[in-house]
Amino acid sequence: QLMQSSSHAFQLSLTSDGMSEPLPLSYVTAQEMRCLLHWLSGWAPVQREQFLRDLVEKAVPWKVLPLLEGLAGLSMEPGKPPSIFECQMRLWDQWFRSWSEAERNEFLRQLEEEAPDLASRFYRDLAATAGQA
């Protein structure tokens, strides 16, 4: 499976039998991915939708608003601390930016295992951007 953007390529390495092979990860990266997948399992549907949109935006960065504009759109009221979800989304963004392409691909592989419904929607939504300018 291969998805390309101008500066990033998401691809999964396949073994000879066609199965994805887990990537050896650093302890920190593995913990970040485990933490994110745990959060994902507890998020409300609207939060999962926001995460999915953000993931698609990260995969197709030249076709959507920059991420910082997306983060600015989170409901932040003056004098009110950010919600736990808003903090989680900011951490997700920091982690994703620090991951290599191979680590990003490994996250997608884990997402396919842990949340196949969300992963399939991600691939469908990503494919839908192919015809857009």
Side-chain angles (χ1 to χ4, degrees):
Q1 296 174 4
L2 175 67
M3 295 157 286
Q4 297 219 320
S5 72
S6 59
S7 61
H8 304 290
F10 289 81
Q11 76 186 66
L12 296 170
S13 61
L14 299 177
T15 59
S16 58
D17 62 358
M19 299 298 292
S20 4
E21 187 172 272
L23 175 78
L25 300 172
S26 75
Y27 176 77
V28 171
T29 302
Q31 291 298 93
E32 289 170 351
M33 290 181 188
R34 189 172 297 120
C35 189
L36 183 58
L37 290 167
H38 175 73
W39 292 341
L40 189 60
S41 70
W43 284 341
V46 68
Q47 294 169 324
R48 290 169 67 98
E49 288 296 319
Q50 187 167 340
F51 172 78
L52 181 64
R53 281 194 311 271
D54 189 60
L55 184 59
V56 171
E57 289 173 9
K58 284 172 169 34
V60 193
W62 74 93
K63 295 182 180 176
V64 293
L65 294 173
L67 177 71
L68 290 177
E69 291 180 29
L71 285 177
L74 293 174
S75 58
M76 293 288 290
E77 295 176 26
K80 182 182 175 201
S83 71
I84 290 173
F85 175 70
E86 289 165 342
C87 291
Q88 290 170 333
M89 288 296 287
R90 283 185 171 82
L91 279 172
W92 144 246
D93 179 58
Q94 290 172 16
W95 293 342
F96 184 87
R97 289 173 183 266
S98 72
W99 294 345
S100 68
E101 287 182 13
E103 289 168 334
R104 292 171 181 184
N105 294 332
E106 173 59 16
F107 174 72
L108 288 175
R109 189 195 67 77
Q110 290 184 27
L111 184 67
E112 288 174 356
E113 286 183 3
E114 299 293 321
D117 57 326
L118 200 64
S120 66
R121 288 204 39 230
F122 165 72
Y123 291 120
R124 188 184 69 231
D125 291 355
L126 190 65
T129 69
Q132 298 174 4

